[in-house]
Amino acid sequence: MTPNLLAIACLIAITLGYAGLCAASPFGDCRTCRGMGHELKTDRKGRLKRGKDCRRCKATGKRIRVGRWLYNRWARIYHAGTDTPRPGGSR
């Protein structure tokens, strides 16, 4: 197999793997708080205590993956552009 075909096969495998990950698990851990929802602080004695809530994930610890966000955006635009009335109903 030539190096070009090998590179293309690797890129396709990575892309399909990431698409499968986004379909199976659309939410990943927040990179800022590492999935905890808040930061950890130490008090004056050196013990860990809870810090402020994470502003990036709004204290949930989860963020939507980039691939899932792109898919949701595409699906929303596609459904808005192909909105056809249902036969026999007004809904």
Side-chain angles (χ1 to χ4, degrees), residues 23-37:
S25 176
F27 294 97
D29 287 339
C30 177
R31 291 187 304 251
T32 303
C33 63
R34 297 186 186 109
M36 294 188 66

Side-chain angles (χ1 to χ4, degrees), residues 73-85:
R73 177 66 55 105
W74 172 82
R76 192 176 305 122
I77 291 170
Y78 177 78
H79 289 303
T82 59
D83 192 23
T84 58

Side-chain angles (χ1 to χ4, degrees), residues 16-30 61-69 71-72:
L16 291 177
Y18 185 69
L21 177 68
C22 289
S25 176
F27 294 97
D29 287 339
C30 177
K62 297 293 181 186
R63 295 281 292 177
I64 194 161
R65 295 186 194 275
V66 175
R68 186 61 181 208
W69 182 84
Y71 172 76
N72 289 347

Side-chain angles (χ1 to χ4, degrees), residues 1-8:
M1 187 181 290
T2 65
N4 289 339
L5 289 177
L6 184 63
I8 291 171

